[in-house]
Short mmCIF file of all heavy atoms in Angstrom, two decimals:
data_model
loop_
_atom_site.label_atom_id
_atom_site.label_comp_id
_atom_site.label_asym_id
_atom_site.label_seq_id
_atom_site.Cartn_x
_atom_site.Cartn_y
_atom_site.Cartn_z
N ALA D 1005 -38.67 -21.03 52.72
CA ALA D 1005 -39.49 -20.05 53.45
C ALA D 1005 -40.88 -19.93 52.83
O ALA D 1005 -41.89 -19.84 53.54
CB ALA D 1005 -38.79 -18.69 53.44
N ALA D 1006 -40.94 -19.93 51.49
CA ALA D 1006 -42.22 -19.81 50.80
C ALA D 1006 -43.14 -20.99 51.12
O ALA D 1006 -44.36 -20.82 51.27
CB ALA D 1006 -41.99 -19.72 49.30
N MET D 1007 -42.57 -22.17 51.25
CA MET D 1007 -43.37 -23.36 51.57
C MET D 1007 -43.97 -23.25 52.98
O MET D 1007 -45.12 -23.61 53.21
CB MET D 1007 -42.50 -24.62 51.46
CG MET D 1007 -42.00 -24.89 50.05
SD MET D 1007 -40.73 -26.19 49.96
CE MET D 1007 -41.75 -27.65 50.14
N ILE D 1008 -43.19 -22.71 53.91
CA ILE D 1008 -43.68 -22.51 55.27
C ILE D 1008 -44.73 -21.40 55.30
O ILE D 1008 -45.75 -21.52 55.98
CB ILE D 1008 -42.50 -22.19 56.21
CG1 ILE D 1008 -41.55 -23.39 56.29
CG2 ILE D 1008 -42.98 -21.78 57.60
CD1 ILE D 1008 -40.22 -23.09 56.96
N ASP D 1009 -44.48 -20.35 54.57
CA ASP D 1009 -45.42 -19.23 54.47
C ASP D 1009 -46.78 -19.72 53.96
O ASP D 1009 -47.84 -19.39 54.53
CB ASP D 1009 -44.83 -18.18 53.53
CG ASP D 1009 -45.62 -16.88 53.47
OD1 ASP D 1009 -46.85 -16.93 53.29
OD2 ASP D 1009 -44.99 -15.81 53.59
N ARG D 1010 -46.77 -20.54 52.92
CA ARG D 1010 -48.03 -21.05 52.35
C ARG D 1010 -48.75 -21.97 53.35
O ARG D 1010 -49.97 -21.94 53.46
CB ARG D 1010 -47.75 -21.78 51.05
CG ARG D 1010 -48.95 -22.41 50.37
CD ARG D 1010 -50.04 -21.42 49.98
NE ARG D 1010 -49.61 -20.42 49.04
CZ ARG D 1010 -50.43 -19.72 48.25
NH1 ARG D 1010 -51.75 -19.95 48.27
NH2 ARG D 1010 -49.96 -18.79 47.45
N MET D 1011 -47.99 -22.78 54.06
CA MET D 1011 -48.58 -23.62 55.10
C MET D 1011 -49.26 -22.75 56.16
O MET D 1011 -50.39 -23.04 56.58
CB MET D 1011 -47.50 -24.49 55.75
CG MET D 1011 -47.98 -25.32 56.94
SD MET D 1011 -46.67 -26.37 57.64
CE MET D 1011 -45.53 -25.11 58.25
N ASP D 1012 -48.60 -21.69 56.58
CA ASP D 1012 -49.18 -20.80 57.58
C ASP D 1012 -50.45 -20.13 57.07
O ASP D 1012 -51.42 -19.96 57.82
CB ASP D 1012 -48.15 -19.73 57.99
CG ASP D 1012 -48.69 -18.79 59.05
OD1 ASP D 1012 -48.65 -19.14 60.24
OD2 ASP D 1012 -49.18 -17.70 58.68
N GLN D 1013 -50.46 -19.76 55.80
CA GLN D 1013 -51.68 -19.18 55.23
C GLN D 1013 -52.86 -20.16 55.37
O GLN D 1013 -53.97 -19.76 55.71
CB GLN D 1013 -51.46 -18.85 53.75
CG GLN D 1013 -50.47 -17.73 53.49
CD GLN D 1013 -50.21 -17.55 52.01
OE1 GLN D 1013 -51.14 -17.52 51.19
NE2 GLN D 1013 -48.95 -17.44 51.62
N GLY D 1014 -52.60 -21.43 55.09
CA GLY D 1014 -53.65 -22.43 55.23
C GLY D 1014 -54.11 -22.59 56.67
O GLY D 1014 -55.31 -22.76 56.95
N ILE D 1015 -53.17 -22.53 57.61
CA ILE D 1015 -53.53 -22.61 59.02
C ILE D 1015 -54.41 -21.43 59.41
O ILE D 1015 -55.37 -21.59 60.17
CB ILE D 1015 -52.26 -22.69 59.89
CG1 ILE D 1015 -51.56 -24.03 59.67
CG2 ILE D 1015 -52.59 -22.49 61.38
CD1 ILE D 1015 -50.18 -24.13 60.29
N GLY D 1016 -54.12 -20.27 58.85
CA GLY D 1016 -54.98 -19.12 59.10
C GLY D 1016 -56.40 -19.34 58.61
O GLY D 1016 -57.37 -18.95 59.28
N ARG D 1017 -56.54 -19.99 57.47
CA ARG D 1017 -57.88 -20.29 56.96
C ARG D 1017 -58.59 -21.34 57.82
O ARG D 1017 -59.81 -21.30 57.97
CB ARG D 1017 -57.79 -20.72 55.50
CG ARG D 1017 -57.32 -19.59 54.57
CD ARG D 1017 -57.51 -19.89 53.11
NE ARG D 1017 -56.61 -20.91 52.61
CZ ARG D 1017 -56.98 -22.08 52.12
NH1 ARG D 1017 -58.27 -22.40 52.10
NH2 ARG D 1017 -56.10 -22.94 51.68
N MET D 1018 -57.83 -22.27 58.38
CA MET D 1018 -58.43 -23.23 59.31
C MET D 1018 -58.94 -22.53 60.56
O MET D 1018 -60.04 -22.83 61.06
CB MET D 1018 -57.40 -24.30 59.70
CG MET D 1018 -56.96 -25.21 58.58
SD MET D 1018 -55.66 -26.36 59.16
CE MET D 1018 -54.66 -26.49 57.68
N ILE D 1019 -58.15 -21.61 61.08
CA ILE D 1019 -58.57 -20.84 62.26
C ILE D 1019 -59.85 -20.08 61.97
O ILE D 1019 -60.79 -20.06 62.78
CB ILE D 1019 -57.44 -19.87 62.70
CG1 ILE D 1019 -56.23 -20.65 63.20
CG2 ILE D 1019 -57.94 -18.91 63.78
CD1 ILE D 1019 -54.99 -19.80 63.42
N GLU D 1020 -59.92 -19.47 60.79
CA GLU D 1020 -61.11 -18.71 60.42
C GLU D 1020 -62.33 -19.62 60.27
O GLU D 1020 -63.44 -19.27 60.66
CB GLU D 1020 -60.86 -17.93 59.13
CG GLU D 1020 -62.02 -17.06 58.68
CD GLU D 1020 -62.45 -16.03 59.71
OE1 GLU D 1020 -61.58 -15.59 60.52
OE2 GLU D 1020 -63.64 -15.65 59.72
N ALA D 1021 -62.11 -20.82 59.73
CA ALA D 1021 -63.23 -21.77 59.60
C ALA D 1021 -63.75 -22.17 60.98
O ALA D 1021 -64.97 -22.28 61.19
CB ALA D 1021 -62.76 -23.01 58.84
N LEU D 1022 -62.86 -22.36 61.92
CA LEU D 1022 -63.28 -22.66 63.30
C LEU D 1022 -64.05 -21.50 63.90
O LEU D 1022 -65.07 -21.67 64.57
CB LEU D 1022 -62.06 -22.99 64.16
CG LEU D 1022 -61.38 -24.33 63.91
CD1 LEU D 1022 -60.00 -24.35 64.57
CD2 LEU D 1022 -62.23 -25.48 64.45
N ARG D 1023 -63.57 -20.29 63.65
CA ARG D 1023 -64.23 -19.10 64.20
C ARG D 1023 -65.64 -18.96 63.62
O ARG D 1023 -66.61 -18.71 64.36
CB ARG D 1023 -63.38 -17.85 63.89
CG ARG D 1023 -63.96 -16.56 64.48
CD ARG D 1023 -63.08 -15.37 64.19
NE ARG D 1023 -61.85 -15.39 64.98
CZ ARG D 1023 -60.63 -15.55 64.49
NH1 ARG D 1023 -60.44 -15.73 63.19
NH2 ARG D 1023 -59.57 -15.55 65.29
N GLN D 1024 -65.77 -19.14 62.32
CA GLN D 1024 -67.08 -19.01 61.68
C GLN D 1024 -68.05 -20.09 62.14
O GLN D 1024 -69.26 -19.86 62.21
CB GLN D 1024 -66.92 -19.04 60.16
CG GLN D 1024 -66.23 -17.81 59.59
CD GLN D 1024 -66.16 -17.83 58.08
OE1 GLN D 1024 -66.72 -18.71 57.44
NE2 GLN D 1024 -65.47 -16.84 57.51
N ALA D 1025 -67.51 -21.25 62.50
CA ALA D 1025 -68.36 -22.35 62.96
C ALA D 1025 -68.67 -22.25 64.45
O ALA D 1025 -69.42 -23.07 64.98
CB ALA D 1025 -67.68 -23.68 62.67
N GLY D 1026 -68.09 -21.25 65.12
CA GLY D 1026 -68.31 -21.10 66.56
C GLY D 1026 -67.56 -22.13 67.39
O GLY D 1026 -67.92 -22.38 68.55
N GLU D 1027 -66.51 -22.72 66.83
CA GLU D 1027 -65.80 -23.79 67.50
C GLU D 1027 -64.41 -23.39 68.00
O GLU D 1027 -63.75 -24.19 68.68
CB GLU D 1027 -65.64 -24.99 66.54
CG GLU D 1027 -66.94 -25.61 66.10
CD GLU D 1027 -67.61 -26.44 67.18
OE1 GLU D 1027 -66.99 -26.67 68.23
OE2 GLU D 1027 -68.77 -26.86 66.98
N LEU D 1028 -63.96 -22.17 67.70
CA LEU D 1028 -62.57 -21.83 67.97
C LEU D 1028 -62.22 -21.87 69.46
O LEU D 1028 -61.17 -22.39 69.84
CB LEU D 1028 -62.25 -20.45 67.38
CG LEU D 1028 -60.79 -19.99 67.50
CD1 LEU D 1028 -59.86 -20.95 66.79
CD2 LEU D 1028 -60.63 -18.58 66.93
N ASP D 1029 -63.09 -21.33 70.30
CA ASP D 1029 -62.76 -21.23 71.71
C ASP D 1029 -62.60 -22.57 72.40
O ASP D 1029 -61.85 -22.70 73.38
CB ASP D 1029 -63.82 -20.40 72.45
CG ASP D 1029 -63.70 -18.91 72.18
OD1 ASP D 1029 -62.70 -18.52 71.55
OD2 ASP D 1029 -64.60 -18.16 72.59
N ASN D 1030 -63.31 -23.57 71.91
CA ASN D 1030 -63.23 -24.88 72.54
C ASN D 1030 -62.52 -25.90 71.66
O ASN D 1030 -62.85 -27.07 71.62
CB ASN D 1030 -64.61 -25.41 72.93
CG ASN D 1030 -64.52 -26.55 73.95
OD1 ASN D 1030 -63.63 -26.57 74.80
ND2 ASN D 1030 -65.44 -27.50 73.88
N THR D 1031 -61.51 -25.43 70.94
CA THR D 1031 -60.67 -26.32 70.14
C THR D 1031 -59.22 -26.19 70.58
O THR D 1031 -58.67 -25.08 70.60
CB THR D 1031 -60.78 -25.98 68.64
OG1 THR D 1031 -62.14 -26.16 68.21
CG2 THR D 1031 -59.88 -26.88 67.81
N LEU D 1032 -58.64 -27.31 70.96
CA LEU D 1032 -57.21 -27.36 71.24
C LEU D 1032 -56.48 -27.54 69.91
O LEU D 1032 -56.72 -28.51 69.19
CB LEU D 1032 -56.88 -28.53 72.18
CG LEU D 1032 -55.39 -28.86 72.36
CD1 LEU D 1032 -54.64 -27.70 72.99
CD2 LEU D 1032 -55.21 -30.14 73.17
N ILE D 1033 -55.61 -26.58 69.59
CA ILE D 1033 -54.78 -26.67 68.39
C ILE D 1033 -53.33 -26.78 68.84
O ILE D 1033 -52.85 -25.96 69.62
CB ILE D 1033 -54.94 -25.43 67.49
CG1 ILE D 1033 -56.42 -25.21 67.12
CG2 ILE D 1033 -54.09 -25.57 66.23
CD1 ILE D 1033 -56.66 -23.90 66.36
N VAL D 1034 -52.65 -27.81 68.37
CA VAL D 1034 -51.23 -27.92 68.65
C VAL D 1034 -50.47 -27.96 67.33
O VAL D 1034 -50.96 -28.51 66.33
CB VAL D 1034 -50.89 -29.16 69.51
CG1 VAL D 1034 -51.50 -29.04 70.89
CG2 VAL D 1034 -51.33 -30.44 68.85
N PHE D 1035 -49.31 -27.36 67.33
CA PHE D 1035 -48.46 -27.29 66.13
C PHE D 1035 -47.05 -27.69 66.52
O PHE D 1035 -46.52 -27.21 67.52
CB PHE D 1035 -48.46 -25.88 65.53
CG PHE D 1035 -47.50 -25.72 64.38
CD1 PHE D 1035 -47.90 -26.00 63.09
CD2 PHE D 1035 -46.18 -25.33 64.61
CE1 PHE D 1035 -46.99 -25.89 62.03
CE2 PHE D 1035 -45.27 -25.22 63.56
CZ PHE D 1035 -45.68 -25.49 62.26
N LEU D 1036 -46.44 -28.54 65.69
CA LEU D 1036 -45.06 -28.97 65.94
C LEU D 1036 -44.44 -29.48 64.65
O LEU D 1036 -45.08 -29.45 63.59
CB LEU D 1036 -45.02 -30.06 67.01
CG LEU D 1036 -45.48 -31.47 66.60
CD1 LEU D 1036 -44.87 -32.52 67.55
CD2 LEU D 1036 -47.00 -31.58 66.62
N SER D 1037 -43.20 -29.96 64.73
CA SER D 1037 -42.50 -30.53 63.59
C SER D 1037 -42.10 -31.97 63.89
O SER D 1037 -41.87 -32.33 65.05
CB SER D 1037 -41.26 -29.71 63.25
OG SER D 1037 -40.56 -30.27 62.14
N ASP D 1038 -41.98 -32.78 62.86
CA ASP D 1038 -41.65 -34.19 63.06
C ASP D 1038 -40.18 -34.44 63.35
O ASP D 1038 -39.81 -35.50 63.87
CB ASP D 1038 -42.12 -35.04 61.87
CG ASP D 1038 -41.42 -34.67 60.56
OD1 ASP D 1038 -40.80 -33.60 60.48
OD2 ASP D 1038 -41.52 -35.48 59.61
N ASN D 1039 -39.32 -33.51 63.00
CA ASN D 1039 -37.87 -33.63 63.25
C ASN D 1039 -37.23 -32.31 62.91
O ASN D 1039 -37.89 -31.36 62.46
CB ASN D 1039 -37.25 -34.77 62.42
CG ASN D 1039 -37.70 -34.83 60.98
OD1 ASN D 1039 -38.41 -35.74 60.58
ND2 ASN D 1039 -37.31 -33.83 60.19
N GLY D 1040 -35.92 -32.21 63.12
CA GLY D 1040 -35.21 -31.01 62.72
C GLY D 1040 -35.16 -30.87 61.21
O GLY D 1040 -35.51 -31.79 60.46
N ALA D 1041 -34.73 -29.69 60.76
CA ALA D 1041 -34.60 -29.47 59.31
C ALA D 1041 -33.64 -30.48 58.71
O ALA D 1041 -32.70 -30.96 59.36
CB ALA D 1041 -34.12 -28.05 59.05
N SER D 1042 -33.86 -30.81 57.44
CA SER D 1042 -33.11 -31.87 56.79
C SER D 1042 -31.79 -31.36 56.19
O SER D 1042 -31.78 -30.38 55.43
CB SER D 1042 -33.94 -32.50 55.67
OG SER D 1042 -33.16 -33.42 54.93
N PRO D 1043 -30.68 -32.06 56.48
CA PRO D 1043 -29.40 -31.69 55.87
C PRO D 1043 -29.15 -32.39 54.54
O PRO D 1043 -28.08 -32.23 53.94
CB PRO D 1043 -28.40 -32.19 56.92
CG PRO D 1043 -29.04 -33.45 57.44
CD PRO D 1043 -30.54 -33.16 57.44
N GLU D 1044 -30.12 -33.14 54.05
CA GLU D 1044 -29.91 -33.99 52.88
C GLU D 1044 -29.64 -33.19 51.60
O GLU D 1044 -30.15 -32.10 51.42
CB GLU D 1044 -31.15 -34.87 52.66
CG GLU D 1044 -31.40 -35.87 53.78
CD GLU D 1044 -32.81 -36.44 53.70
OE1 GLU D 1044 -33.73 -35.80 54.23
OE2 GLU D 1044 -32.97 -37.53 53.12
N ASP D 1045 -28.84 -33.78 50.75
CA ASP D 1045 -28.64 -33.28 49.39
C ASP D 1045 -29.50 -34.14 48.47
O ASP D 1045 -29.04 -35.14 47.91
CB ASP D 1045 -27.15 -33.38 49.03
CG ASP D 1045 -26.85 -32.77 47.66
OD1 ASP D 1045 -27.81 -32.47 46.92
OD2 ASP D 1045 -25.66 -32.62 47.33
N ALA D 1046 -30.76 -33.76 48.36
CA ALA D 1046 -31.72 -34.59 47.63
C ALA D 1046 -31.37 -34.70 46.14
O ALA D 1046 -31.81 -35.65 45.47
CB ALA D 1046 -33.13 -34.01 47.78
N MET D 1047 -30.60 -33.76 45.63
CA MET D 1047 -30.24 -33.81 44.21
C MET D 1047 -29.42 -35.06 43.90
O MET D 1047 -29.50 -35.61 42.79
CB MET D 1047 -29.46 -32.56 43.82
CG MET D 1047 -30.26 -31.28 43.88
SD MET D 1047 -30.33 -30.53 45.53
CE MET D 1047 -28.78 -29.65 45.57
N ARG D 1048 -28.63 -35.51 44.88
CA ARG D 1048 -27.77 -36.67 44.65
C ARG D 1048 -28.54 -37.99 44.68
O ARG D 1048 -28.02 -39.01 44.25
CB ARG D 1048 -26.64 -36.69 45.68
CG ARG D 1048 -25.70 -35.51 45.52
CD ARG D 1048 -24.43 -35.63 46.35
NE ARG D 1048 -23.59 -34.46 46.19
CZ ARG D 1048 -22.75 -34.27 45.17
NH1 ARG D 1048 -22.64 -35.21 44.24
NH2 ARG D 1048 -22.03 -33.17 45.08
N TYR D 1049 -29.75 -37.98 45.18
CA TYR D 1049 -30.54 -39.21 45.19
C TYR D 1049 -30.94 -39.64 43.78
O TYR D 1049 -30.96 -40.83 43.45
CB TYR D 1049 -31.80 -39.04 46.04
CG TYR D 1049 -31.56 -38.84 47.51
CD1 TYR D 1049 -32.47 -38.14 48.29
CD2 TYR D 1049 -30.44 -39.37 48.15
CE1 TYR D 1049 -32.28 -37.95 49.65
CE2 TYR D 1049 -30.24 -39.20 49.50
CZ TYR D 1049 -31.16 -38.49 50.26
OH TYR D 1049 -30.97 -38.32 51.59
N GLY D 1050 -31.29 -38.66 42.96
CA GLY D 1050 -31.75 -38.97 41.61
C GLY D 1050 -33.09 -39.67 41.62
O GLY D 1050 -33.68 -39.93 42.67
#
């Protein structure tokens, strides 16, 4: 959750940068994920 929260904070700063540059209204922003959440047990990879 913390990793997602920090990512969202950065997206907020991107939105603000667009607003300050006067570009927000004419910018298409899309957000998505590359796949579902991972079921992997990464500890076993070593």
Side-chain angles (χ1 to χ4, degrees):
M1007 295 169 77
I1008 296 168
D1009 187 310
R1010 177 61 60 158
M1011 174 178 65
D1012 181 82
Q1013 293 175 46
I1015 291 170
R1017 294 193 289 117
M1018 294 176 215
I1019 293 170
E1020 182 58 28
L1022 288 165
R1023 183 179 287 113
Q1024 291 183 6
E1027 297 286 351
L1028 184 60
D1029 285 352
N1030 197 33
T1031 299
L1032 169 63
I1033 304 173
V1034 295
F1035 174 89
L1036 75 158
S1037 179
D1038 63 345
N1039 45 249
S1042 173
E1044 295 165 276
D1045 184 349
M1047 294 84 83
R1048 295 191 181 277
Y1049 293 152

